[in-house]
Amino acid sequence: MLRVDRVSKSYPTPRGPLAILDAVSMSLDRGESAAIMGPSGSGKSTLLYVIGALEPPTSGTVTLDGDDPWTMSEQAQAAFRSRRVGFVFQDHLLLPQLTALENVVTPALVHPGGVTDAVRDRARELLAQVGLADRADHRPAELSGGERQRVAIARALIGSPGLLLCDEPTGNLDRTSAAAVAGLLMDLHAQLNTILVAVTHSPALAGRFGRRFELDARRLVS
Ligand code: ADP
Ligand code: MG
C-alpha cells in the first residue's frame, strides 16, 4: 500500500522557501489507480517526485508497504528507486544511442546481479507486452512517438515495481497514439496489479482511473 501522510514540500529559493505542497495526504491499496489533475505549475510533478523518492518531502512521510525510503541507507534507497518504483515521464527520456531492448534493461544496471540473461528475457517479454516484439533492435530515432513511450513503459516495469508513476505520459502524443498508450497503461495496470498514479490533463484518461484528485492551492482534493 502507498501512504502519503501530510506531505509538505517547499523549494529553497534566494527569496526564501517556496511552498508547493501543503499537507497532502492520500492512500492507495495495491491494484488501485489514481489520476492527478491540476493547472500547470500546481505541483503535480513535484508530488510525483516526492511519491517516487526522487525528492524528499519537507515534512510528512511517504511509505510504500510500510517502508520509508528516506530512512534507508543510500544503497537501499537506490534499490528502492530502481526496483519498487517505475517512472514514465512526458518525454520518453530514452537514450538515443541504445536500442529499445538496451533501453528497457538500463534500470537493471544498478540491480545487484546487473543485466543478466533473465533480465534480458524479461525485457523481451515486456516489449512483447507493449506490442513491440519486432522493434527490440530499433533505436529511438527509428520509432514513432507512441512506440518510444511504449518502450519507456516497458523500461519502467523491468524491476517489477509495485508502484508505477506516470507524469503526463500521453502529453506529447497525437490523439491516436495517446489513446493507444493510455489503453496500454490501463491494461498493464490491471494485469500487473500495481498501484498506478498518473498526472494527466486529459479528462478522458482521468475518467478511466479508480480515483481522481485535483491539486489546487497546494492542497490535494478528491
Ligand atoms: P506541475 O507539474 O503541476 O506543472 P511542478 O511540480 O513542475 O508543477 O512545479 C510546481 C512549482 O514548483 C512551479 O512553480 C515550479 O516553478 C516550482 N519548482 C519546481 N521545481 C523546482 C525546483 N527544483 N526549485 C524551485 N522551484 C521549483
Ligand atoms: Mg509537471
Side-chain angles (χ1 to χ4, degrees), residues 45 151 208 219:
S45 294
V151 175
R208 303 174 65 174
R219 309 296 291 245

Side-chain angles (χ1 to χ4, degrees), residues 1-189:
M1 152 178 224
L2 170 70
R3 183 183 284 275
V4 179
D5 190 24
R6 296 189 59 81
V7 161
S8 296
K9 177 71 182 175
S10 53
Y11 286 115
T13 71
R15 273 175 271 147
L18 175 67
I20 309 294
L21 303 173
D22 180 18
V24 164
S25 297
M26 70 171 179
S27 285
L28 296 171
D29 282 322
R30 186 157 276 261
E32 279 199 291
S33 64
I36 313 261
M37 305 191 78
S40 176
S42 60
K44 304 179 299 295
S45 294
T46 301
L47 177 59
L48 277 202
Y49 299 159
V50 173
I51 292 176
L54 298 180
E55 278 283 343
T58 307
S59 65
T61 53
V62 176
T63 56
L64 185 59
D65 298 328
D67 297 327
D68 176 350
W70 299 102
T71 65
M72 296 176 179
S73 70
E74 220 168 281
Q75 209 178 358
Q77 204 180 76
F80 182 94
R81 288 196 192 97
S82 75
R83 303 225 54 163
R84 296 181 61 187
V85 184
F87 248 108
V88 177
F89 299 93
Q90 177 169 0
D91 184 62
H92 52 85
L93 300 179
L94 298 178
L95 293 169
Q97 69 275 36
L98 300 185
T99 65
L101 184 76
E102 289 165 346
N103 267 287
V104 173
V105 302
T106 47
L109 290 170
V110 302
H111 292 178
V115 181
T116 58
D117 285 343
V119 169
R120 257 181 233 104
D121 288 347
R122 175 77 184 131
R124 286 193 190 282
E125 216 174 274
L126 283 166
L127 281 173
Q129 257 183 308
V130 302
L132 295 176
D134 57 348
R135 298 286 194 279
D137 300 322
H138 287 228
R139 292 198 164 68
E142 301 157 357
L143 296 169
S144 72
E147 288 169 344
R148 282 179 212 142
Q149 201 58 318
R150 287 161 178 267
V151 175
I153 291 168
R155 178 181 57 185
L157 295 172
I158 191 72
S160 304
L163 175 62
L164 181 60
L165 302 173
C166 304
D167 195 354
E168 303 190 38
T170 63
N172 281 355
L173 302 178
D174 63 76
R175 201 185 304 180
T176 309
S177 314
V181 166
L184 173 68
L185 270 180
M186 305 317 291
D187 289 350
L188 286 170
H189 170 250

